[in-house]
Amino acid sequence: MVASTKPNLAVKTIDHVTLVSSDLERIRHFYVDLLGMQEQGRPDFGFPGLWFQEGNTQIHLNVESEEAGTAGVQYDATSITRALHIAFLVDDAEAAAELLRENGVEIIAGPRSRPDGAIQFYIMDPDGHQIEITSPS
């Protein structure tokens, strides 16, 4: 591929990911109590939602509505692990999987080793958004 000589946007990082939720309290428990993210202040947009952050990763949750759309994403068995998902890096994916199981979270795929040696597994958040948890080899 030949590099373009035209200026580009020079994207630096993903600023945030926005998801739609059907239940803010249930989603707060998942992202704060189970995943360990911190709830952040949120501007008054005139509609309910929550913001969570850990490090440079920020998740914005908007309540399900006509404007925001339906919570979750529809997956079928063939799309699990290769479809739209959010991946979070942890120190030990095996230990994270055990902790989530102890808290009643179903592991939908894995844990397993990737070809590069990293360990990964997949879960769904309470609204059906696919989440990958991964740790380095």
Side-chain angles (χ1 to χ4, degrees):
M1 178 178 211
V2 177
S4 172
T5 58
K6 295 180 181 180
N8 62 45
L9 294 179
V11 169
K12 295 176 183 5
T13 188
I14 293 174
D15 182 69
H16 67 274
V17 173
T18 298
L19 303 173
V20 177
S21 176
S22 62
D23 183 328
L24 291 180
E25 288 309 311
R26 185 177 65 171
I27 210 79
R28 176 185 284 122
H29 169 70
F30 180 83
Y31 283 95
V32 173
D33 298 335
L34 293 177
L35 297 189
M37 297 186 83
Q38 303 298 311
E39 188 171 347
Q40 300 295 302
R42 177 181 177 272
D44 182 6
F45 288 107
F47 56 89
L50 295 170
W51 285 7
F52 305 111
Q53 184 162 346
E54 186 55 48
N56 293 327
T57 301
Q58 201 169 80
I59 305 292
H60 296 181
L61 275 291
N62 294 328
V63 170
E64 185 174 54
S65 69
E66 186 175 311
E67 294 84 12
T70 305
V73 177
Q74 300 303 312
Y75 297 97
D76 63 39
T78 62
S79 67
I80 296 298
T81 78
R82 294 195 180 177
L84 173 68
H85 65 272
I86 302 168
F88 292 109
L89 182 67
V90 298
D91 290 331
D92 183 342
E94 297 280 357
E98 184 58 32
L99 177 69
L100 290 170
R101 281 189 197 104
E102 289 170 3
N103 282 277
V105 176
E106 178 185 2
I107 308 300
I108 60 170
R112 62 178 175 235
S113 293
R114 292 190 324 213
D116 64 358
I119 303 296
Q120 65 184 169
F121 67 92
Y122 293 83
I123 59 177
M124 296 290 197
D125 81 5
D127 286 306
H129 300 106
Q130 191 173 179
I131 307 292
E132 175 186 341
I133 305 295
T134 188
S135 60
S137 56

